[in-house]
Amino acid sequence: MIHLPELFIQRMHDQLGVEAPDFFTALDQPPPVSIRLHHSKGRCPFPLNMPVPWSKLGYYLEDRPSFHLDPHWHGGAYYVQEATSMILDAMLSTLVTDKQPRIWVDLCAAPGGKSGILASHLGPGDILLANEVVSGRRSVLRENLTKAGYMNTFISGYPSHVFDAPFADIMLIDAPCAGEGMMRKDPEAIRQWSPSLVQSCCGMQRQIVSEAIRALKEGGLLIYSTCSYSEEENLSNILHFTNTLPLQSIAVNFPEDWGLTTLEKQSVSGYQLFPHKVRGEGLFIAVLQKTAVESDNRGKSKKIISPFASADQMIGSIFKSSNHFQFRKNNVVFQFVTAEAEPKASELLMHLPAAEAIAEAGECKGKDVIPSHFVAMSDIPITHEGILDLDLDTALDYLQRSTNLSPALEAPGWYLIRYHQTILGWAKRTQQGWKNHYPMAWRLRNR
Ligand code: SAM
């Protein structure tokens, strides 16, 4: 039985009234397990017969498998994601209906679950910035975005006060919070909880939003979410934002049978997912629209100078059509975006020059071109033809960086390593044997 803090129990009784017993009963049930398939390379070994109602890519699983022993997971073919987070997918489907080029910002992005949902909604001229201020969490964000092979996606580590001029069309602030919605899944959320934690999170959320909102353009959308139930962190904050910032609350219509609870206060609304009403943990989400830019930003516009150029011959040789992309050298690595998204990518880099494209083409070493892991993980047509199909055991060997891949002699060259249609990375066949190019930091350790 789950042991919740007394003050939390009291507050939830006050908040939920007659629904409170159902809420506490739900918290005593095992947490559901769910995955979101990658929008283009979605594949997994599990039966997919229990869809998450609000996401066409989301599925509940019967139980919790050892995901790390499934090569599809390492290949970014699906992401293990809490079902309530996927409500963002349904929300974006109703909010974003045209394909005009946009800059999307995920301000608090690590480990990247919701960035993946945003990435699945990008149009051809759009770019996404996944920003995470905590450097230790940025590495897992990079790993997840690279394995997914998301094009036109950038990563950065800026604090919110740096976002001082309007360039973003859509901003997600999935704010750090008291984590009440994670109590069933994560005992640490129970241990850390206190009324003062809720208060301090509320203050931090207000500060983050009031600073970051300066980067949103007039008419742009702010999606605010937390995984808490407290009114302070959720609806009261939404009201505070509309009272103090140029923002207005936007209502969203979700089908009633999904079980979301609509919360309203004066002129603002938000949506809470409770574990006794939906299959999942707790999430709050609301949408706001920016009504005006701040007076000190009005009429300011800078000339955008593109830092991108066409590929040189060596790097271009990786791609079947390198003219579809624009490249920029960052230290020794070539990063790239699609030609269609280059204008928005240049605009982003003018505001946030340290942002780095997740899409790395590779490095030139002498006469050799070393293709990047990203190129293997994306679905971009490339010129390397060699593919080595592995069975489960050998695929797990590969993920452990084994070089014992295929005893039969293959022709020398670069090979994409594949398991049941999911690409896992690169290996190079030389006269001496196989050289495993799976990234060292991401290798499978606890098989
Ligand atoms: N959106 C992520 C996802 O779906 O995978 C989860 C984000 S988590 C709820 C909140 C994130 O905010 C954490 O990664 C945390 O490191 C970051 N964070 C903490 N303090 C912050 C601050 N002062 N400003 C911006 N982000 C902060």
Side-chain angles (χ1 to χ4, degrees), residues 79 81 85 88 106-117 131-135 137-138 141 144 158-161 172-177 204-205 207-208 211 225-227:
Y79 184 84
Q81 187 165 43
S85 294
L88 177 62
D106 184 357
L107 192 84
C108 312
K114 294 191 189 68
S115 296
I117 298 177
N131 182 74
E132 169 58 49
V133 72
V134 178
S135 64
R137 290 174 62 82
R138 220 154 41 238
L141 175 64
N144 286 331
Y158 288 104
S160 45
H161 67 81
L172 169 66
I173 300 187
D174 186 31
C177 69
M204 175 161 52
Q205 291 150 354
Q207 184 180 353
I208 293 172
E211 291 175 340
S225 59
T226 74
C227 61

Side-chain angles (χ1 to χ4, degrees), residues 95-132:
L95 291 173
V96 185
T97 50
D98 64 60
K99 291 278 176 221
Q100 70 182 64
R102 292 182 168 91
I103 297 181
W104 302 59
V105 173
D106 184 357
L107 192 84
C108 312
K114 294 191 189 68
S115 296
I117 298 177
L118 300 182
S120 71
H121 284 264
L122 295 191
D126 292 5
I127 57 137
L128 165 64
L129 174 68
N131 182 74
E132 169 58 49

